[in-house]
Amino acid sequence: MGELRLMKGNEALAEAAIRAGADAYFGYPITPQSEVIEYLMAEKPWERTGMVVLQAESEVAAINMVYGAAGAGKRVMTTSSSPGISLKQEGLSYIAGAELPCVYANVVRGGPGLGTIQPSQADYFQSVKGGGHGDYRQIVLAPASVQEMSDFVKLGFDLAFKYRIAVLILADGIIGQMMEKVELFEPMPRLTDDEVIARYPWATTGKKKGTQRRIITSLDLQANEMEEHNRHLQAKYKLIEENEVRFEAIQCDDADYIFVAYGSSARIAQKSVQLARQKGIKAGLLRLISLFPFPSKALQTYCKNGVKGWLAVEMSAGQMVEDVMLAVKGCAKVEHFGRFGGVIHTPEEVLQALEEKVIGD
């Protein structure tokens, strides 16, 4: 068993970055994720592992520092909250175009605008559809516990370098601020420069004897060549959709009705399943772990097995529900229940919504 600690979600994520062999973290404080950089500064990982930790002058600066370090083949990370993530979108699009691996986290707060520091899930569209310009995607992982805030950092780096892609850990204020027991994984060594050169033939590590010139860019002024690059990217995203879908099915095998949720909403909906079963309603929960790729085939399978209705539960006005509708292709009724602006729904409200919106008629 690994080391056990009682930690906030933000703290667990920061500790996981150190243990995952991260070379650098570039960030900027914003509630409700400020504990990430605060924890890193207090822990002084540059003394433990040599990891660089820097508070940039802005979110724009931070993501471009990530761009530069990722281009050198380094394991690099940043975090922010909703308005800060919006500022990073241009840099993220450049990272996607240049096919650079990195991990970043969004601990979502209520919006739009400055909004509120209370939790929300209203950044779903921005996260899974590619929030910046161009036809790009990114892997999106949705933790539902402090344990997963830690585990998904390690998984995120593995996926980022496997596919040369940005991986987003999409949490919310509840997951970032809550405290739970977490089992920390064993520390991983940072790669040396020579190991980076040998392992990542694309990385711009500087001119060294015996190596070829390496160029990283997202620019191509020839339309035909740019289209070919985009075809390559789309093929990669398709491969990810085939191989990296992650979800948890809770009491779905005999369910007549299924909640679809992620993050803290999934924890709430799991209690709603229990309350529904106590009333004789065969309810289940499909907890999404990967938001992109979305588990469309799983939803279609449950449809074929006779599910009568779906309720998308999210802390937004209705975003994930659109992907649920696209996945089930009209096989059964799909409804949405959400609270937003920082308001958190209760298990009883979720069950009431199922009864009134899905079962009622």
Side-chain angles (χ1 to χ4, degrees):
M1 178 180 290
E3 180 183 354
L4 292 177
R5 289 195 200 174
L6 180 66
M7 306 182 80
K8 276 189 174 185
N10 289 333
E11 295 170 341
L13 184 142
E15 177 64 27
I18 301 171
R19 291 175 176 247
D23 295 289
Y25 170 93
F26 304 110
Y28 192 81
I30 179 174
T31 307
Q33 65 80 55
S34 295
E35 289 88 355
V36 176
I37 193 167
E38 290 171 357
Y39 181 92
L40 289 171
M41 295 303 292
E43 283 295 307
K44 300 180 180 179
W46 50 91
E47 296 179 357
R48 288 170 55 180
T49 69
M51 176 184 176
V52 173
V53 179
L54 179 65
Q55 178 177 317
E57 59 267 36
S58 69
E59 288 89 351
V60 175
I63 195 61
N64 283 287
M65 290 175 184
V66 169
Y67 187 5
K74 299 299 184 179
R75 295 167 76 90
V76 63
M77 184 175 180
T78 188
T79 63
S80 193
S81 184
S82 304
I85 294 293
S86 294
L87 290 169
K88 296 178 188 288
Q89 292 305 313
E90 181 187 20
L92 286 165
S93 182
Y94 277 55
I95 286 169
E99 293 190 272
L100 296 179
C102 67
V103 175
Y104 75 105
N106 180 3
V107 183
V108 184
R109 58 190 278 172
L114 282 178
T116 175
I117 64 173
Q118 276 71 40
S120 173
Q121 294 178 322
D123 295 359
Y124 179 91
F125 281 156
Q126 180 193 66
S127 303
V128 305
K129 308 299 183 185
H133 58 284
D135 286 320
Y136 79 91
R137 307 297 287 269
Q138 58 190 355
I139 294 174
V140 184
L141 304 174
S145 65
V146 175
Q147 183 66 58
E148 289 184 339
M149 286 287 272
S150 171
D151 294 344
F152 287 1
V153 173
K154 183 178 179 181
L155 173 62
F157 276 121
D158 289 344
L159 294 172
F161 279 85
K162 180 178 180 180
Y163 294 102
R164 287 181 60 185
I165 197 169
V167 175
L168 167 60
I169 299 173
L170 185 67
D172 59 66
I174 294 176
I175 305 299
Q177 292 293 322
M178 70 189 301
M179 296 189 75
E180 288 184 322
K181 180 178 69 176
V182 57
E183 181 178 344
L184 300 171
F185 56 85
E186 291 298 317
M188 302 166 59
R190 291 175 56 224
L191 297 181
T192 66
D193 287 343
D194 287 341
E195 288 173 327
V196 169
I197 291 171
R199 190 174 297 188
Y200 308 127
W202 47 266
T204 55
T205 54
K207 189 170 181 58
K208 295 206 174 197
K209 187 176 180 180
T211 62
Q212 293 182 340
R213 187 166 179 246
R214 299 171 176 181
I215 298 174
I216 286 179
T217 182
S218 61
L219 173 68
D220 198 322
L221 297 180
Q222 301 300 317
N224 290 340
E225 293 178 8
M226 195 69 218
E227 182 182 44
E228 192 59 34
H229 179 58
N230 271 274
R231 289 188 187 280
H232 160 72
L233 292 177
Q234 295 306 314
K236 179 172 68 174
Y237 304 149
K238 183 67 175 177
L239 185 65
I240 291 170
E241 288 183 287
E242 293 172 356
N243 296 322
E244 303 300 343
V245 172
R246 288 171 169 83
F247 62 90
E248 180 184 9
I250 300 171
Q251 292 186 262
C252 289
D253 288 344
D254 67 338
D256 292 326
Y257 306 98
I258 295 181
F259 300 111
V260 184
Y262 67 93
S264 53
S265 286
R267 293 179 68 137
I268 295 167
Q270 188 169 354
K271 179 64 177 180
S272 303
V273 170
Q274 179 184 342
L275 296 176
R277 294 270 173 171
Q278 290 172 357
K279 296 183 69 172
I281 301 170
K282 290 184 178 180
L285 167 65
L286 195 68
R287 177 174 81 91
L288 308 185
I289 296 174
S290 62
L291 304 183
F292 179 80
F294 192 83
S296 298
K297 291 181 180 179
L299 274 73
Q300 292 163 13
T301 298
Y302 285 114
C303 268
K304 293 176 183 177
N305 292 340
V307 170
K308 300 176 182 177
W310 303 81
L311 184 66
V313 182
E314 48 187 325
M315 290 189 291
S316 76
Q319 297 186 20
M320 176 194 66
V321 63
E322 294 191 9
D323 283 336
V324 176
M325 290 177 175
L326 289 170
V328 304
K329 298 179 179 179
C331 78
K333 188 174 186 179
V334 177
E335 292 289 349
H336 169 263
F337 175 71
R339 302 295 300 271
F340 42 98
V343 178
I344 303 165
H345 39 250
T346 68
E348 292 78 12
E349 287 176 334
V350 173
L351 176 56
Q352 182 179 356
L354 177 70
E355 292 177 306
E356 292 179 354
K357 293 187 172 188
V358 182
I359 302 174
D361 55 355

